[in-house]
Amino acid sequence: MDHFQRFREISANPGRYAEEWKKKTGGKVVGHLCSYTPVELIVAAGALPFRILSSGAQIAQADGYLQAYCCGLVRGVLEDALAGRLAFLDGTVFPHTCDTIQRLSDIWRMNIGGFHADVILPVKLDTESAAEYMLAVLQRFKADLEAGLGVTLSEAALGEAIRICNRGRKGLERLYALRRKRPDAIAGSDLHAVFRAALVMDRAELADALEKLADMLESRAPQAAPPVKRLVLSGGLCSMPDIYQVVESSGGRVVWDDFCTGARYFEGLVDENGAPLAAIAQRYRQRVVCPAKHAGIHNRGQYLVDKVKSYQADGVIFLLLKFCDPHAFDYPYMKAMLDKENIPSMLFEIEDQISSEGQLRTRCEAFLEML
Amino acid sequence: MPTYEKIIDSDKERRKIKADRRMREIMTAYYMEAKTPKEQRGKKIAWITSGGPVEPLHVMDVIPIYPENYGAMIGASKMGVDLCEKAEEMGYARDLCSYARADIASATVNGGPIGGLPEPDMLICCNNICGTVLKWYEVQARYFNVPLFILDTPITHTTFNDEMRRYVTRQSAEYIRFLEKACGRRFDYDRMAEVGALSIRAQELWQAILDTTMSKPSPMTCFDAFFHLAMIVTLRGTQTCVDYYEMLLAEMKERVAQGIGMLPVEKYRLVWDNLPIWYRLRWLSNKFMERSACLVADTYTSGWVSQMPSVSSTDFLGFMGESYARIFLNSGTDLMAENIIRMVKKYDADGVVFHSNRSCKPYSFGQYDIQKILRKKLGIPTLMIEADMVDERSFSESQIETRIDAFIEMMKK
């Protein structure tokens, strides 16, 4: 039996999953950009949090709204929305992250419609006033959701949503831990499919499915595996192409990543004993930051060096989405910090998913050979 | 081919703005002081973003230095490509802001206009203009190893709410504490009241200068505003700035009284959106002038006038955070469109020229929607120029000239 089949189906067509979920439950689907969306509140509202990623379809209509120097993720999701491929969404949430997402929110509000919430989070996360503001932002988001979806979010429902989301995070962390220990225990592409599905699935269903999957994979006897090069991926790949196949066929195994559609999504649990909103705010302030946020000037570089060391990685591949400013600004210093520790790294810029694959394969093979 | 009025320019000298000379003197003195060796200078230096709260620095006798102003100097002196390429060699992607690339590169070499900027003792970054400045100032904080203060100003997509107000007000107090620590002495609140009043006075004068272009013919164009802007950006909060703008305003009023326009013939009145294209200011100015099109106003230079109706000169600190948070660039695209509509009406403009600026995503994304809104609400023609403020490699002269021609043709109809 293929334990990944269900995840693969959802990953291949997340929209269909959302439509079926709607039909089955009669609930609402709330789309969102970025890992700073407090999904617990959406879950507590009885709605399905749906992380919007680009389908990768040809850009046609979005050209009338966004210039060509806008990143592929944002152009792609706007194209999907304009083409009606996201018609199942009852609303969309835009957390404040980068300049581009900020403008996408405006363009979306004026041209797509539906329930619209801006979650205007602080950009600096390391001060007391920012902490206070962050909590106030969550309180406002709660009120916006209640008004927009016509529900009331009780403390009990929030507590339950936190527990469910934490279970999902733990499940993902177990898969990452297993892969770290035994890189061949789970294929990168399978984990990729699990992750893509995890970003859109009903969180209770997801938590159950992940627990089952992790139990099964952990119980399998380890097989003798040829030595591999252990890699950490870093960069801004919000659009999530499946680069794992490329890495693996070149003889590499990914043991960690610093993606918002990866480790950053599940790292750190929300305290289940605290006041719900304060606990959610706390997690966002303590979690490793996205480069559009500020928590000190060496935060991300140090995180990367630490992960490479503690997970005994042989090298780092930086994957940068073209036109992603926050990541592009961080790359030189993060590379310099790796250089200082004699950790080899490689940079690959991704313009769009399809044309990049061949090039990436060549570069990846050369890099792994060098390691 | 369209035919243009032959420019009869016998009184070119009469149309020149006389205050320009004084402006150059002041800016030279300002940079001279900043470039004086630290031991002789005595004063500390802060690098600050163009939309950052400079007034408390004047209170503390800290010299504010603006890397963005320097970016404009780099662009205007056509040194942008060299420095941008240098930054690209350092690993910074070509798609990043050209001000940032040029500044990051020039910090590492003894080059650029005026031989580079004096090294900072501290960095003040306000993200009301973009998220880019946050990353740029992080780079410089690592490079110079000096303290960094961030004024985090939440964007007003639709409304500015109470929690935002409280957040930015609390940060104003944090800013003062940061300065006290960096300078090693107490903050002088009485002096703050004086500096605050001077800043507000300068903003009023600057707005009054910009408003003289409501007259026909317009006594100046936005290209002149781009030049005189340096004062409100770098020296607001000082008596020098107020004195200079009083002089400039008097000259503008005199020009209006005498009917002196900046253009020999003013047929069309236009509004400019986004940053200037620094390395082609003269070229663009001439192209529009030859076609009797006068750029009477722009969204950029008016950005340094507080949009807050209730700003109080007696409680500057109390309003400072909100005032800086609510600049037009830190607001929703539809609010930015409304701002342009107001300007078109106020200055009686016939069209709008948009600079789609690869370097400035928050300013440029949304421009297509603004174009649509203008078409719908005002029915006026618009022009989109694809370029970059400093990096000349993104400028296509022939294509832009063709577009300007087509745009002028539309206005003739």
Side-chain angles (χ1 to χ4, degrees):
Chain A
M1 182 193 153
D2 185 350
H3 301 280
F4 293 98
Q5 191 52 36
R6 173 86 174 129
F7 293 110
R8 246 182 248 125
E9 280 166 15
I10 298 169
S11 165
N13 198 340
R16 191 194 300 147
Y17 175 85
E19 278 165 3
E20 281 166 7
W21 181 91
K22 250 178 124 156
K23 221 178 283 164
K24 198 171 73 192
T25 65
K28 290 184 172 149
V29 181
V30 175
H32 68 91
L33 282 293
C34 169
S35 71
Y36 280 94
T37 305
V39 288
E40 288 85 353
L41 277 75
I42 300 172
V43 171
L48 179 72
F50 185 93
R51 169 91 186 234
I52 307 172
L53 297 170
S54 166
S55 70
Q58 187 74 33
I59 302 292
Q61 298 184 58
D63 276 336
Y65 298 84
L66 283 166
Q67 286 93 328
Y69 49 91
C70 170
C71 77
L73 167 76
V74 166
R75 278 158 63 84
V77 300
L78 185 63
E79 181 68 32
D80 287 342
L82 291 166
R85 284 189 286 272
L86 297 173
F88 55 86
L89 293 180
D90 295 285
T92 314
V93 177
F94 293 83
H96 181 81
T97 46
C98 63
D99 293 335
T100 304
I101 298 266
Q102 170 185 306
R103 286 296 168 225
L104 177 68
S105 166
D106 292 331
I107 294 168
W108 200 283
R109 179 164 48 78
M110 292 188 284
N111 298 288
I112 308 296
F115 161 69
H116 189 103
D118 285 305
V119 183
I120 308 164
L121 297 165
V123 166
K124 61 176 177 185
L125 303 176
D126 54 355
T127 65
E128 201 270 310
S129 59
E132 180 195 71
Y133 174 65
M134 170 91 88
L135 182 58
V137 169
L138 292 183
Q139 278 156 350
R140 179 171 294 273
F141 179 48
K142 175 172 172 278
D144 285 350
L145 267 179
E146 287 177 332
L149 302 180
V151 292
T152 309
L153 272 71
S154 68
E155 288 274 307
L158 277 167
E160 180 58 18
I162 287 172
R163 281 186 289 279
I164 290 171
C165 292
N166 274 349
R167 272 179 60 213
R169 289 192 185 102
K170 283 181 207 159
L172 291 167
E173 155 64 25
R174 277 174 71 190
L175 298 182
Y176 265 58
L178 178 67
R179 183 179 63 166
R180 212 154 59 222
K181 215 162 69 188
R182 291 163 28 206
D184 279 306
I186 175 167
S189 289
D190 288 337
L191 189 54
H192 178 256
V194 170
F195 224 105
R196 274 191 77 116
L199 296 172
V200 301
M201 277 174 79
D202 179 283
R203 295 309 194 264
E205 183 191 347
L206 171 72
D208 291 343
L210 287 174
E211 275 162 17
K212 244 171 74 185
L213 180 66
D215 287 345
M216 189 278 298
L217 292 172
E218 283 165 356
S219 67
R220 273 185 184 169
Q223 308 210 330
V228 289
K229 297 294 175 197
R230 296 165 66 90
L231 298 171
V232 171
L233 304 183
S234 177
L237 272 197
C238 313
S239 54
M240 278 190 96
D242 183 359
I243 35 97
Y244 297 96
Q245 268 178 346
V246 180
V247 173
E248 287 176 4
S249 66
S250 315
R253 292 293 182 274
V254 178
V255 295
W256 194 253
D257 65 54
D258 178 22
F259 293 153
C260 67
T261 46
R264 276 210 301 278
Y265 178 77
F266 64 76
E267 256 196 316
L269 298 176
V270 177
D271 179 6
E272 295 179 5
N273 301 314
L277 294 185
I280 294 168
Q282 172 138 324
R283 172 174 180 264
Y284 280 123
R285 285 190 294 111
Q286 290 174 347
R287 199 196 75 177
V288 65
V289 296
C290 144
K293 299 260 179 264
H294 175 87
I297 55 175
H298 295 104
N299 181 291
R300 294 192 62 238
Q302 195 55 53
Y303 173 85
L304 185 61
V305 168
D306 290 348
K307 289 297 175 193
V308 169
K309 285 183 171 173
S310 52
Y311 300 153
Q312 296 106 39
D314 301 298
V316 173
I317 299 181
F318 288 98
L319 293 151
L320 294 190
L321 182 65
K322 192 167 170 59
F323 302 117
C324 175
D325 292 351
H327 278 286
F329 268 111
D330 270 0
Y331 163 69
Y333 104 86
M334 289 171 73
K335 180 189 185 304
M337 283 183 75
L338 292 177
D339 287 350
K340 222 180 202 171
E341 303 281 343
N342 292 316
I343 300 163
S345 66
M346 170 192 121
L347 168 67
F348 191 80
E349 190 179 62
I350 294 197
E351 203 152 350
D352 67 81
Q353 299 186 21
I354 304 124
S355 67
S356 302
E357 206 181 295
Q359 269 184 318
L360 176 61
R361 193 176 297 275
T362 315
R363 296 276 317 279
C364 212
E365 283 168 2
F367 178 64
L368 285 160
E369 223 159 274
M370 186 207 80
L371 287 179
Chain B
M1 282 291 289
T3 52
Y4 307 123
E5 293 78 15
K6 196 166 159 37
I7 300 165
I8 302 153
D9 208 4
S10 57
D11 63 350
K12 199 173 173 187
E13 198 50 39
R14 198 171 78 102
R15 285 187 286 106
K16 235 166 104 176
I17 296 173
K18 310 296 179 288
D20 283 14
R21 236 188 81 200
R22 177 75 188 124
M23 168 86 182
R24 283 179 212 278
E25 283 169 13
I26 295 169
M27 292 311 289
T28 305
Y30 158 73
Y31 274 115
M32 289 268 280
E33 185 190 17
K35 293 275 289 180
T36 305
K38 207 174 198 165
E39 312 77 57
Q40 296 165 41
R41 187 178 69 221
K43 295 178 178 174
K44 285 188 186 295
I45 283 181
W47 284 14
I48 181 168
T49 54
S50 66
V54 64
E55 293 83 358
L57 294 178
H58 288 304
V59 173
M60 295 301 260
D61 278 324
V62 172
I63 302 177
I65 288 289
Y66 290 81
E68 287 160 76
N69 179 253
Y70 190 60
M73 284 163 70
I74 289 170
S77 50
K78 300 186 200 286
M79 292 168 135
V81 174
D82 270 2
L83 287 167
C84 285
E85 281 175 348
K86 162 85 183 143
E88 288 151 32
E89 283 165 26
M90 293 163 72
Y92 294 95
R94 182 174 164 170
D95 306 309
L96 291 172
C97 165
S98 52
Y99 275 179
R101 273 180 294 148
D103 178 61
I104 289 168
S106 81
T108 67
V109 294
N110 279 325
I114 66 165
L117 289 178
E119 286 195 9
D121 298 293
M122 67 194 90
L123 298 163
I124 313 295
C125 170
C126 180
N127 62 3
N128 56 352
I129 48 173
C130 58
T132 286
V133 288
L134 172 74
K135 302 311 294 176
W136 174 2
Y137 276 60
E138 284 176 352
V139 169
Q140 299 300 36
R142 282 188 294 265
Y143 184 75
F144 291 108
N145 193 26
V146 292
L148 163 66
F149 180 79
I150 298 161
L151 177 63
D152 182 13
T153 49
I155 181 175
T156 302
H157 279 292
T158 53
T159 42
F160 188 82
N161 59 42
D162 286 342
E163 57 263 27
M164 293 173 176
R165 187 169 292 114
R166 181 168 161 78
Y167 181 37
V168 295
T169 306
R170 285 193 66 187
Q171 289 179 81
S172 295
E174 290 166 14
Y175 182 27
I176 302 306
R177 284 200 297 280
F178 170 90
L179 289 177
E180 286 182 330
K181 198 174 159 207
C183 299
R185 60 191 168 87
R186 306 285 292 177
F187 190 77
D188 182 344
Y189 289 89
D190 294 333
R191 179 117 192 265
M192 182 69 246
E194 287 164 29
V195 170
L198 286 171
S199 171
I200 289 167
R201 179 70 190 132
Q203 292 176 43
E204 288 164 357
L205 285 165
W206 179 238
Q207 186 64 60
I209 290 162
L210 296 176
D211 284 351
T212 59
T213 63
M214 287 194 288
S215 298
K216 295 177 187 175
S218 176
M220 65 171 197
T221 70
C222 77
F223 297 102
D224 301 298
F226 293 157
F227 174 72
H228 295 279
L229 169 74
M231 193 77 69
I232 190 86
V233 176
T234 55
L235 293 171
R236 67 180 179 280
T238 67
Q239 189 65 46
T240 311
C241 181
V242 168
D243 291 347
Y244 176 74
Y245 280 146
E246 274 173 351
M247 179 177 126
L248 181 60
L249 179 61
E251 185 179 347
M252 286 301 146
K253 283 184 171 166
E254 184 57 29
R255 288 167 73 91
V256 169
Q258 291 191 27
I260 303 171
M262 186 46 80
L263 267 61
V265 184
E266 178 183 304
K267 254 183 163 171
Y268 313 108
R269 295 167 63 83
L270 306 172
V271 170
W272 173 274
D273 181 57
N274 212 306
L275 278 84
I277 302 170
W278 294 110
Y279 49 88
R280 284 304 167 92
L281 280 186
R282 188 178 298 262
W283 185 86
L284 276 168
S285 166
N286 286 340
K287 287 300 154 199
F288 284 104
M289 195 184 282
E290 287 164 6
R291 289 154 180 79
S292 303
C294 182
L295 285 143
V296 293
D298 69 281
T299 57
Y300 179 62
T301 56
S302 53
W304 276 267
V305 179
S306 173
Q307 303 296 310
M308 275 184 65
S310 59
V311 81
S312 152
S313 54
T314 52
D315 181 22
F316 191 84
L317 277 185
F319 286 94
M320 189 178 76
E322 178 170 358
S323 179
Y324 277 100
R326 296 181 72 175
I327 65 162
F328 81 102
L329 190 48
N330 202 29
S331 66
T333 301
D334 33 358
L335 293 173
M336 290 170 82
E338 276 174 32
N339 182 46
I340 296 181
I341 289 171
R342 263 197 309 275
M343 293 184 87
V344 167
K345 289 181 178 163
K346 180 175 180 182
Y347 298 99
D348 195 20
D350 309 298
V352 178
V353 181
F354 291 92
H355 169 205
S356 166
N357 180 359
R358 288 179 77 91
S359 273
C360 195
K361 294 181 172 83
Y363 215 150
S364 303
F365 295 163
Q367 279 177 324
Y368 293 168
D369 273 280
I370 296 175
Q371 266 188 314
K372 283 172 210 143
I373 294 169
L374 293 185
R375 232 173 280 150
K376 198 173 137 199
K377 291 198 173 167
L378 299 174
I380 56 169
T382 58
L383 165 65
M384 187 70 68
I385 294 177
E386 298 278 347
D388 184 274
M389 57 203 184
V390 164
D391 194 338
E392 287 183 69
R393 291 171 293 179
S394 301
F395 191 87
S396 163
E397 191 174 292
S398 57
Q399 191 193 61
I400 290 168
E401 186 156 11
T402 309
R403 284 199 182 178
I404 293 174
D405 281 334
F407 174 60
I408 300 288
E409 282 302 310
M410 272 168 73
M411 263 183 314
K412 284 183 183 164
K413 283 169 197 164

